[in-house]
Structure formats: structure tokens, C-alpha cells
């Protein structure tokens, strides 16, 4: 299952699973930042 496909997809998933949309977006942003940092350390 793809978790992220755009804002509408994230909102739909949040509603489907009863999650807080704003908190979910914040967590996804933090995950994206961590991924970018990790990749930059590897020189990718």
C-alpha cells in the first residue's frame, strides 16, 4: 500500500484510519527531512 501520493491521499488515509491530519503531515515532514539528511550524508 502506498502511504503518500499527495495531500488528498494523505487526508483520505488519515480519515480512514482515524488519524489527526495535521499531526500526520508534521510527522511526514519530519520523515522527509530525516531522509534528505541521510541521503546528503551518503552523497546521493
Amino acid at each position: 500500500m502506498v502511504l503518500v501520493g499527495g495531500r488528498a491521499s494523505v487526508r483520505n488515509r488519515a480519515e480512514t484510519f482515524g488519524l489527526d491530519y495535521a499531526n500526520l503531515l508534521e510527522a511526514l515532514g519530519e520523515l522527509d527531512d530525516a531522509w534528505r539528511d541521510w541521503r546528503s550524508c551518503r552523497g546521493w
Side-chain angles (χ1 to χ4, degrees):
M1 174 173 82
V2 175
L3 293 178
V4 179
R7 286 187 185 267
S9 178
V10 172
R11 182 179 297 272
N12 289 341
R13 296 283 192 265
E15 291 175 1
T16 298
F17 295 109
L19 303 173
D20 184 297
Y21 179 66
N23 286 343
L24 182 58
L25 282 184
E26 183 179 345
L28 289 173
E30 291 174 7
L31 180 61
D32 185 55
D33 291 344
W35 174 247
R36 288 173 195 255
D37 290 346
W38 184 84
R39 288 186 64 190
S40 68
C41 289
R42 302 291 185 278
W44 291 358

